[in-house]
């Protein structure tokens, strides 16, 4: 299985990253009961910037095949502005890894307003 390519623009200071719905070839959601999801954000040079091991949370709605990725406030604010890379994996209860999606992960700095 090859991952889908999808680029993400992340606005630093927010907690929402992305929602991913895993579907089979017919468009039917894959039941994710018993699955875990992992997400990794790395610099273009390969340095780990954030992952589901620390700053990122992957919440699964099993019956609809939905994975929602969020990041802690501190984790999001700690990401350097610029273009990075990411990938998301689903892992079955039997330990089989399925690459779901990958692409560029552009961190956009917070917008400041001055009165």
């Amino acid at each position: 299985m090859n991952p889908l390519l999808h680029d993400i623009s992340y606005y630093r200071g927010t907690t929402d990253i992305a929602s991913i719905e895993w579907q089979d070839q017919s468009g039917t959601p894959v039941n994710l009961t018993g699955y875990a999801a992992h997400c990794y954000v790395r610099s273009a040079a390969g340095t780990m910037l954030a992952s589901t091991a620390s700053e990122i949370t992957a919440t699964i709605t099993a019956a609809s095949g939905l994975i929602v990725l969020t990041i802690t406030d501190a984790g999001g604010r700690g990401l350097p502005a610029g273009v990075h890379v990411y990938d998301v994996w689903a892992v079955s209860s039997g330990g089989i890894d399925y690459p779901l999606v990958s692409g560029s992960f552009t961190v956009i700095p917070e917008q400041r307003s001055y009165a």
Side-chain angles (χ1 to χ4, degrees), residues 4-73:
L4 295 174
L5 295 176
H6 178 75
D7 298 333
I8 292 176
S9 292
Y10 167 74
Y11 292 86
R12 194 165 53 197
T14 62
T15 57
D16 294 332
I17 295 177
S19 295
I20 300 159
E21 184 179 11
W22 187 11
Q23 299 176 346
D24 65 19
Q25 292 179 343
S26 69
T28 303
V30 173
N31 189 319
L32 297 176
T33 300
Y35 279 75
H38 300 285
C39 176
Y40 306 96
V41 177
R42 296 178 183 84
S43 70
T47 302
M48 186 68 66
L49 300 174
S51 74
T52 44
S54 53
E55 304 88 353
I56 297 173
T57 299
T59 303
I60 296 175
T61 305
S64 64
L66 184 65
I67 301 168
V68 176
L69 302 171
T70 57
I71 191 166
T72 64
D73 183 61

Side-chain angles (χ1 to χ4, degrees), residues 1-4 22 30 32 35-38 67 87-101:
M1 174 180 184
N2 292 323
L4 295 174
W22 187 11
V30 173
L32 297 176
Y35 279 75
H38 300 285
I67 301 168
D87 51 351
V88 177
W89 297 74
V91 182
S92 73
S93 58
I96 299 172
D97 295 333
Y98 297 93
L100 298 182
V101 63

